Amino acid sequence: MNDKVALSPEAQAGSHCPPAKYETLYRHSLEDSDGFWRDQARRIDWVREPSVIGNWSFDPVDIKWYEDGVLNLCYNCVDRHLPARADQKALIWEGDEPGVVRSLTYAELHGQVVRMAHCLKAAGVSRGDRVTLYLPMILEAAVAMLACARIGAVHSVVFGGFSPDALRGRIEDCESRFVITADGGMRGGKLVPLKANVDAALEDGPRVDAVLVIRHLGNEVASTGRDIWYDPEAWADAGELPCEPMGAEDPLFILYTSGSTGKPKGVLHTTGGYAVWTAATFHFVFDYREGEIFWCTADVGWVTGHSYIVYGPLANGATTLMYEGVPNHPDFGRFWDMIDRHQVNIFYTAPTAIRALMREGDDPVKAHNRASLRLLGSVGEPINPEAWRWYHQVVGDGRCPIVDTWWQTETGGIMITTLPGAHDMKPGSAGLPFFGVVPELVDAEGVVLPGAASGNLCITRSWPGQMRTVYGDHERFVQTYFSTYKGKYFTGDGCRRDEDGFYWITGRVDDVLNVSGHRLGTAEVESALVSHPLVAEAAVVGYPHDIKGQGIYCYVTLLAGEEPSNGLEQALRQHVRKEIGPIATPDHLQFTPALPKTRSGKIMRRILRKIAHNEHDALGDTSTLADPSLVDSLIEGRRNP
Ligand code: WT7
């Protein structure tokens, strides 16, 4: 299990961070944190350089970095590259259909961002306003994010796979008065009706001042009085629009993510610390070299897309590739075909995609040359060693190091990973802490576990990319992350540290599911189920799934007098899709006359989890159940995943 895969000499050649340098820098980052992060802040061009570096406390919770610094992140991602990189490609885009390609040089990106910024201003968007983006994976998604950053507006990107209801909740929560969407998007040959979804979300719902609609597919869509059809040409002669000077602690974006309780939280990231964190992690972790093509397959609706399609790469003056579609369209060779056609050097994807492609065998991979690849990355969930080895041996021909990057929406950027020039790798382990990151393992009581141990993963010190608050609910921020173990940031993940100090993430220890790398709260799926008129109660747990990592298993109790049926099962599935989106579709639905509860009425999820995992012999103590006989009927009614 602890077998190391050594870095090849080729992998180490020219690296930004050989082993000794990692040791020195890591030590420096702990012993002189302010000095270290002052140095790293030089990756960014400041309007006013910060004199205060870290100023934070986890008890009481108050986090600031570079607080008196002034900067603009759009300037750092676009304008400052113009003297040296005007004609270098900043973004390359490939559509859902192979070979449909567009790109923007840094000069062109600048032009597009300025035009959209003009349009946003004319629509009434001012500094500090929230703007909701609900877009396909198109160049305009990156342009819109940068245009918001340019004028100091706070973007809130909502993944295009979320339903109108989910979109409405996210517009309401941050009181966003502006939405940017597109007529539609294409994924695997299927049209995603984004504009129609926006109209549905806004029906009888939140009042917004304007919906900016980008023409992407040119399909027929309904218009309303609040729509502004975006025409970049109309702004071609509007002239320069200078970047708004922002305080380092001014909000940059909100991104909603699921927790173990209640509605999704608006994770708030601010400008200066996030800029430094994404710029530094991109540089070191992907060991980015001048002229290379970087491809991260995430959607900009997730934090991975924010940090490693848009901000991290562009802050480094890189060329970043965006892909509209899915890994298996038109066939399972699509990724490898694109890698060859675009000569991709660094490829960053998720274990769920790797497993799905691995299942198709080696032929679709070997049909392509992949010689341009230098480095491979993985993110989103633990990667099983079998998938890791396939990725390494077959996709990377054994040549390319793999970085298995552990992080979260909340962390802003990568936290634990090996560095490609510095460390040997262990398949299945994320590796070692990035500079400034101090992980700690604790047991359920909060006792710190030294050395090789397994426990709950906390981070003891702040880092510049850390989220600052839950939008509109600072108390929830404190409660969620800093109250379980006082004075520490609790990640919600379980983890093992081995004798070499390598970290092995074992998955969430709270009621958060990771389904195909998408984060979902069991509570969200439960509340979607109980919002159906025939459902009395529901309990949702995860179970191991070969491709998705985790599948969604739902136990449902109907109102008295209602009978389970296949039709109702289908209706409930549909209902959850409508409430949240296709990513939350239940894999298994088991009707049960009651849920197992303690005498005080608490649902015993442990038992439900064991039954869903098919571990009936390891149910543990069931004597505290109000009705122990229920267990047999639950086992009997179990659906075979
Ligand atoms: C959760 C965060 C990080 C961007 C994408 C997901 C899991 C993430 C890894 C990894 C094991 C991982 C954790 C974490 N996770 N990366 N390399 N190895 N687990 O961001 O939606 O905020 O989810 O994803 O459980 O807590 P997210």
Side-chain angles (χ1 to χ4, degrees), residues 304 380-382 404-409 493 505 508 514 519:
T304 311
E381 50 174 318
D404 174 2
T405 62
W406 175 86
W407 57 295
Q408 309 178 294
T409 307
D493 279 327
I505 308 293
R508 302 290 305 199
N514 192 327
R519 184 164 154 184

Side-chain angles (χ1 to χ4, degrees), residues 141-154:
V143 169
M145 290 164 75
L146 292 163
C148 286
R150 190 172 194 87
I151 64 175
V154 182

